[in-house]
Amino acid sequence: GSFSFLVAGTTKRHEIAAMLGEPSARYSSDGVVTYRLQANPDGYRSVARSFEWSPATHSLVLQFDESGVLLRHALVRVR
């Protein structure tokens, strides 16, 4: 899928969870979360959390303010 629904200053944490499910990891008391993703012809799909990350090609990093509103996001390629 596309990430056009991610709008800094507007999109809330619960809206993102409804679209992407539970994050792969949480940092800074949930101020930063990441999703492991696999690129495919249609865009990206979430990779289930497991001990084996091999299908993951990217990590979506999201930062939230204290009220759970998205501050910024970045799509980072992983090896």
Side-chain angles (χ1 to χ4, degrees), residues 2-68:
S2 163
F3 302 113
S4 58
F5 67 94
L6 296 175
V7 180
T10 302
T11 310
K12 294 179 174 59
R13 183 193 325 270
H14 69 88
E15 295 170 322
I16 295 168
M19 296 285 290
L20 298 176
E22 283 297 306
S24 304
R26 302 167 189 270
Y27 306 95
S28 303
S29 301
D30 279 354
V32 175
V33 300
T34 62
Y35 287 90
R36 299 300 289 234
L37 305 172
Q38 181 180 26
N40 64 42
D42 299 324
Y44 297 90
R45 71 172 182 84
S46 188
V47 176
R49 186 175 187 159
S50 70
F51 293 107
E52 182 53 63
W53 290 117
S54 61
T57 57
H58 292 78
S59 187
L60 180 63
V61 183
L62 306 168
Q63 182 182 9
F64 298 95
D65 68 12
E66 302 79 30
S67 62

